[in-house]
Structure formats: structure tokens, C-alpha cells
Amino acid sequence: MQALLTGTLFVALGVVMFAQAGLLTGGTAGLAFLLHYATGLGFGPAFFLVNLPFYVFSFRRMGATFTFKTFVAVALLSLFSALLPMGLAFSRLSAPLAAVLGGLLCGAGMLMLFRHRASLGGMNVLVLYLQERLGWRAGKVQMVIDSLIVLGALWVVGDAVRVAWSVLGAVVLNLTLAINHRPGRYMAV
């Protein structure tokens, strides 16, 4: 339980930093940011909704325990990302700093979750499944998916500089995963 709380809190802080700087990220969080920016729906509810279709895949491929922990982590991230801004504000946060620190916090939080057989749903479930079954490195696969989502955000955000900083954040996050989450070191299932 401590790992779920700490991991999701780290990721929530990274997400708050991305949001404060107007950045995006990849995966289902990136899709939730796109939904947030396009519709005004809060990130937390958008993140929770975007993850709903992935629970069936998770249950079938990764099992009930993993799916339950993932559901809890997604719910906690949705909650924490809504509550943190009520107690934490940045008077100044540059986009480059938000990209690097937010990416590191998200990556470290995700590592905690992976280590304790949980994820943040969606793309995490897919890349962990591909790592377990095909031996594809989770960080590298996630980086490709995340970069495509962030680059696809150009039409929603319309600001190439913000998107470029967002790509940096996605690269930092996924390099953290690629370097530290190796097949055989510990398993997600």
C-alpha cells in the first residue's frame, strides 16, 4: 500500500508540474492531458475515464491482483492530481525544469508501481505485457508510444515550443524506465 501511495504521489507531482508549465506527456496520461486541454475536463476525471477500456485487457492478460492494484493506482493518481494544486503552487516554473523534474518524478513513481506489480493503466499495461511476453524493454516501447502521442498533440496545443519541451519530459520519463526497469530484474506480474 505504501508503494501505491508513494508511487502515485510522485507521478501526481510530476503531472502537476507538467500542467503548471502547460506541457503534455505520453501514454494514457498524455491522452488525458489532450482531453483536458481540448474540453476543459479536469485531468483527474479525464485520466480515470481514458483508462476504463484497458481494465478488461489487464484482467485477461495480467490477472486480477495486478488489475486491482492498477485500478487503485489510477484512482489515487486521479485524486492526487486534483488535490495537490490545492496545497501546492509554483510561483515560477519554467517549461524545461518542469519537463526534466516532472519526467524524473513520473518515471520514479512508475518504477515504484511496477516493482510492486501495479501500473497506471492503459499504455503501462500494454508495455509491461509486451516486456513480459516478448522481452521488449518497457521503457523503449513506452518512449515510442509517448513520443507519438506528444507529437500528435501539435494539433490540440498548436505550440511547437511547448510540444518540444513535452517531448523532452517524455524522453526523461522513459529513459528513467529504460535504464532502471530491465527484464529479469523484477517482474510486473
Side-chain angles (χ1 to χ4, degrees):
M1 189 53 136
Q2 185 266 348
L4 290 176
L5 289 170
T6 305
T8 54
L9 192 56
F10 271 43
V11 175
L13 182 55
V15 164
V16 167
M17 293 177 81
F18 286 153
Q20 176 74 30
L23 302 180
L24 298 132
T25 191
T28 49
L31 296 175
F33 266 124
L34 290 176
L35 189 59
H36 165 69
Y37 291 136
T39 68
L41 180 65
F43 171 84
F47 183 70
F48 190 81
L49 290 173
V50 166
N51 272 292
L52 288 176
F54 291 97
Y55 293 122
V56 173
F57 176 76
S58 175
F59 183 78
R60 289 184 179 164
R61 300 291 184 206
M62 306 297 273
T65 302
F66 178 86
T67 303
F68 175 74
K69 287 180 181 180
T70 295
F71 180 83
V72 170
V74 167
L76 286 172
L77 179 58
S78 297
L79 179 66
F80 290 160
S81 65
L83 294 178
L84 271 177
M86 294 178 193
L88 174 72
F90 297 98
S91 62
R92 177 176 157 80
L93 179 63
S94 70
L97 186 60
V100 173
L101 290 180
L104 287 171
L105 283 165
C106 288
M110 290 168 70
L111 284 169
M112 286 179 215
L113 294 172
F114 294 172
R115 174 65 179 96
H116 293 276
R117 300 182 179 179
S119 79
L120 289 172
M123 303 304 168
N124 290 159
V125 173
L126 179 61
V127 300
L128 287 173
Y129 172 76
L130 292 172
Q131 177 171 292
E132 298 294 327
R133 299 297 183 247
L134 302 177
W136 296 359
R137 297 278 299 273
K140 290 181 181 181
V141 174
Q142 185 90 34
M143 187 181 309
V144 170
I145 292 170
D146 288 354
S147 295
L148 292 173
I149 289 171
V150 171
L151 288 173
L154 275 171
W155 68 272
V156 172
V157 177
D159 181 351
V161 174
R162 275 180 37 199
V163 171
W165 289 123
S166 298
V167 169
L168 175 63
V171 168
V172 169
L173 185 161
N174 289 293
L175 281 176
T176 302
L177 293 177
I179 291 167
N180 294 291
H181 188 62
R182 297 173 190 256
R185 182 173 290 172
Y186 45 77
M187 300 303 204
V189 178

